[in-house]
PDB file of all heavy atoms in Angstrom:
ATOM      1  N   VAL D  91      16.805   4.955   3.747  1.00 98.00           N
ATOM      2  CA  VAL D  91      17.616   5.028   4.975  1.00 98.00           C
ATOM      3  C   VAL D  91      16.829   5.544   6.178  1.00 98.00           C
ATOM      4  O   VAL D  91      17.268   5.398   7.318  1.00 98.00           O
ATOM      5  CB  VAL D  91      18.914   5.867   4.790  1.00 98.00           C
ATOM      6  CG1 VAL D  91      19.870   5.195   3.815  1.00 98.00           C
ATOM      7  CG2 VAL D  91      18.610   7.300   4.385  1.00 98.00           C
ATOM      8  N   THR D  92      15.661   6.145   5.931  1.00 98.00           N
ATOM      9  CA  THR D  92      14.848   6.622   7.060  1.00 98.00           C
ATOM     10  C   THR D  92      14.102   5.475   7.737  1.00 98.00           C
ATOM     11  O   THR D  92      13.544   5.656   8.818  1.00 98.00           O
ATOM     12  CB  THR D  92      13.809   7.689   6.622  1.00 98.00           C
ATOM     13  OG1 THR D  92      12.826   7.067   5.792  1.00 98.00           O
ATOM     14  CG2 THR D  92      14.464   8.825   5.878  1.00 98.00           C
ATOM     15  N   ASP D  93      14.094   4.313   7.072  1.00 98.00           N
ATOM     16  CA  ASP D  93      13.335   3.166   7.568  1.00 98.00           C
ATOM     17  C   ASP D  93      14.318   2.156   8.191  1.00 98.00           C
ATOM     18  O   ASP D  93      15.058   1.477   7.485  1.00 98.00           O
ATOM     19  CB  ASP D  93      12.566   2.558   6.384  1.00 98.00           C
ATOM     20  CG  ASP D  93      11.846   1.272   6.731  1.00 98.00           C
ATOM     21  OD1 ASP D  93      11.917   0.832   7.901  1.00 98.00           O
ATOM     22  OD2 ASP D  93      11.221   0.706   5.824  1.00 98.00           O
ATOM     23  N   ILE D  94      14.326   2.089   9.509  1.00 98.00           N
ATOM     24  CA  ILE D  94      15.311   1.278  10.222  1.00 98.00           C
ATOM     25  C   ILE D  94      15.250  -0.195   9.810  1.00 98.00           C
ATOM     26  O   ILE D  94      16.287  -0.861   9.698  1.00 98.00           O
ATOM     27  CB  ILE D  94      15.201   1.471  11.765  1.00 98.00           C
ATOM     28  CG1 ILE D  94      16.315   0.748  12.521  1.00 98.00           C
ATOM     29  CG2 ILE D  94      13.852   1.053  12.302  1.00 98.00           C
ATOM     30  CD1 ILE D  94      17.616   1.440  12.515  1.00 98.00           C
ATOM     31  N   SER D  95      14.030  -0.705   9.519  1.00 98.00           N
ATOM     32  CA  SER D  95      13.949  -2.130   9.161  1.00 98.00           C
ATOM     33  C   SER D  95      14.548  -2.354   7.771  1.00 98.00           C
ATOM     34  O   SER D  95      15.170  -3.388   7.505  1.00 98.00           O
ATOM     35  CB  SER D  95      12.515  -2.658   9.260  1.00 98.00           C
ATOM     36  OG  SER D  95      11.711  -1.969   8.368  1.00 98.00           O
ATOM     37  N   SER D  96      14.391  -1.378   6.881  1.00 98.00           N
ATOM     38  CA  SER D  96      14.983  -1.450   5.537  1.00 98.00           C
ATOM     39  C   SER D  96      16.525  -1.430   5.658  1.00 98.00           C
ATOM     40  O   SER D  96      17.239  -2.193   4.990  1.00 98.00           O
ATOM     41  CB  SER D  96      14.450  -0.273   4.727  1.00 98.00           C
ATOM     42  OG  SER D  96      15.097  -0.056   3.530  1.00 98.00           O
ATOM     43  N   VAL D  97      17.040  -0.599   6.564  1.00 98.00           N
ATOM     44  CA  VAL D  97      18.498  -0.522   6.782  1.00 98.00           C
ATOM     45  C   VAL D  97      19.003  -1.830   7.395  1.00 98.00           C
ATOM     46  O   VAL D  97      20.014  -2.399   6.953  1.00 98.00           O
ATOM     47  CB  VAL D  97      18.851   0.687   7.681  1.00 98.00           C
ATOM     48  CG1 VAL D  97      20.322   0.660   8.095  1.00 98.00           C
ATOM     49  CG2 VAL D  97      18.521   1.993   6.971  1.00 98.00           C
ATOM     50  N   ASP D  98      18.280  -2.340   8.386  1.00 98.00           N
ATOM     51  CA  ASP D  98      18.695  -3.591   9.048  1.00 98.00           C
ATOM     52  C   ASP D  98      18.742  -4.755   8.063  1.00 98.00           C
ATOM     53  O   ASP D  98      19.684  -5.551   8.069  1.00 98.00           O
ATOM     54  CB  ASP D  98      17.734  -3.942  10.194  1.00 98.00           C
ATOM     55  CG  ASP D  98      18.037  -3.134  11.455  1.00 98.00           C
ATOM     56  OD1 ASP D  98      19.158  -2.581  11.551  1.00 98.00           O
ATOM     57  OD2 ASP D  98      17.154  -3.049  12.329  1.00 98.00           O
ATOM     58  N   SER D  99      17.723  -4.854   7.180  1.00 98.00           N
ATOM     59  CA  SER D  99      17.747  -5.999   6.263  1.00 98.00           C
ATOM     60  C   SER D  99      18.839  -5.833   5.212  1.00 98.00           C
ATOM     61  O   SER D  99      19.451  -6.809   4.774  1.00 98.00           O
ATOM     62  CB  SER D  99      16.367  -6.318   5.671  1.00 98.00           C
ATOM     63  OG  SER D  99      15.921  -5.239   4.941  1.00 98.00           O
ATOM     64  N   MET D 100      19.161  -4.578   4.834  1.00 98.00           N
ATOM     65  CA  MET D 100      20.288  -4.351   3.916  1.00 98.00           C
ATOM     66  C   MET D 100      21.589  -4.844   4.567  1.00 98.00           C
ATOM     67  O   MET D 100      22.385  -5.554   3.963  1.00 98.00           O
ATOM     68  CB  MET D 100      20.366  -2.849   3.592  1.00 98.00           C
ATOM     69  CG  MET D 100      21.545  -2.408   2.761  1.00 98.00           C
ATOM     70  SD  MET D 100      23.030  -1.996   3.688  1.00 98.00           S
ATOM     71  CE  MET D 100      22.593  -0.451   4.483  1.00 98.00           C
ATOM     72  N   VAL D 101      21.781  -4.484   5.837  1.00 98.00           N
ATOM     73  CA  VAL D 101      23.026  -4.859   6.524  1.00 98.00           C
ATOM     74  C   VAL D 101      23.128  -6.387   6.648  1.00 98.00           C
ATOM     75  O   VAL D 101      24.196  -6.978   6.428  1.00 98.00           O
ATOM     76  CB  VAL D 101      23.114  -4.154   7.901  1.00 98.00           C
ATOM     77  CG1 VAL D 101      24.243  -4.712   8.754  1.00 98.00           C
ATOM     78  CG2 VAL D 101      23.307  -2.655   7.689  1.00 98.00           C
ATOM     79  N   GLN D 102      21.999  -7.015   6.942  1.00 98.00           N
ATOM     80  CA  GLN D 102      21.986  -8.487   7.034  1.00 98.00           C
ATOM     81  C   GLN D 102      22.385  -9.118   5.683  1.00 98.00           C
ATOM     82  O   GLN D 102      23.193 -10.044   5.620  1.00 98.00           O
ATOM     83  CB  GLN D 102      20.582  -8.920   7.423  1.00 98.00           C
ATOM     84  CG  GLN D 102      20.528 -10.318   8.011  1.00 98.00           C
ATOM     85  CD  GLN D 102      19.080 -10.695   8.316  1.00 98.00           C
ATOM     86  OE1 GLN D 102      18.252  -9.839   8.599  1.00 98.00           O
ATOM     87  NE2 GLN D 102      18.790 -11.972   8.237  1.00 98.00           N
ATOM     88  N   ASN D 103      21.817  -8.553   4.611  1.00 98.00           N
ATOM     89  CA  ASN D 103      22.132  -9.011   3.257  1.00 98.00           C
ATOM     90  C   ASN D 103      23.635  -8.851   2.959  1.00 98.00           C
ATOM     91  O   ASN D 103      24.281  -9.759   2.417  1.00 98.00           O
ATOM     92  CB  ASN D 103      21.269  -8.183   2.283  1.00 98.00           C
ATOM     93  CG  ASN D 103      21.382  -8.640   0.846  1.00 98.00           C
ATOM     94  OD1 ASN D 103      22.273  -9.387   0.493  1.00 98.00           O
ATOM     95  ND2 ASN D 103      20.467  -8.165   0.016  1.00 98.00           N
ATOM     96  N   VAL D 104      24.210  -7.715   3.367  1.00 98.00           N
ATOM     97  CA  VAL D 104      25.640  -7.461   3.110  1.00 98.00           C
ATOM     98  C   VAL D 104      26.501  -8.460   3.881  1.00 98.00           C
ATOM     99  O   VAL D 104      27.469  -9.027   3.338  1.00 98.00           O
ATOM    100  CB  VAL D 104      26.030  -6.011   3.515  1.00 98.00           C
ATOM    101  CG1 VAL D 104      27.526  -5.788   3.336  1.00 98.00           C
ATOM    102  CG2 VAL D 104      25.236  -4.990   2.718  1.00 98.00           C
ATOM    103  N   VAL D 105      26.138  -8.709   5.124  1.00 98.00           N
ATOM    104  CA  VAL D 105      26.926  -9.647   5.946  1.00 98.00           C
ATOM    105  C   VAL D 105      26.824 -11.058   5.351  1.00 98.00           C
ATOM    106  O   VAL D 105      27.830 -11.777   5.270  1.00 98.00           O
ATOM    107  CB  VAL D 105      26.463  -9.608   7.418  1.00 98.00           C
ATOM    108  CG1 VAL D 105      27.124 -10.704   8.229  1.00 98.00           C
ATOM    109  CG2 VAL D 105      26.779  -8.245   8.023  1.00 98.00           C
ATOM    110  N   GLU D 106      25.630 -11.433   4.889  1.00 98.00           N
ATOM    111  CA  GLU D 106      25.493 -12.769   4.266  1.00 98.00           C
ATOM    112  C   GLU D 106      26.320 -12.863   2.985  1.00 98.00           C
ATOM    113  O   GLU D 106      26.893 -13.896   2.670  1.00 98.00           O
ATOM    114  CB  GLU D 106      24.016 -13.065   3.945  1.00 98.00           C
ATOM    115  CG  GLU D 106      23.248 -13.525   5.182  1.00 98.00           C
ATOM    116  CD  GLU D 106      21.730 -13.404   5.018  1.00 98.00           C
ATOM    117  OE1 GLU D 106      21.253 -13.226   3.883  1.00 98.00           O
ATOM    118  OE2 GLU D 106      21.031 -13.486   6.056  1.00 98.00           O
ATOM    119  N   THR D 107      26.408 -11.762   2.240  1.00 98.00           N
ATOM    120  CA  THR D 107      27.135 -11.789   0.951  1.00 98.00           C
ATOM    121  C   THR D 107      28.645 -11.680   1.146  1.00 98.00           C
ATOM    122  O   THR D 107      29.414 -12.416   0.527  1.00 98.00           O
ATOM    123  CB  THR D 107      26.651 -10.629   0.049  1.00 98.00           C
ATOM    124  OG1 THR D 107      25.238 -10.682  -0.030  1.00 98.00           O
ATOM    125  CG2 THR D 107      27.250 -10.719  -1.348  1.00 98.00           C
TER     126      THR D 107
END
Side-chain angles (χ1 to χ4, degrees):
V91 294
T92 68
D93 174 1
I94 186 79
S95 62
S96 169
V97 171
D98 280 342
S99 61
M100 175 272 288
V101 169
Q102 200 182 331
N103 186 346
V104 176
V105 172
E106 280 162 14
T107 308

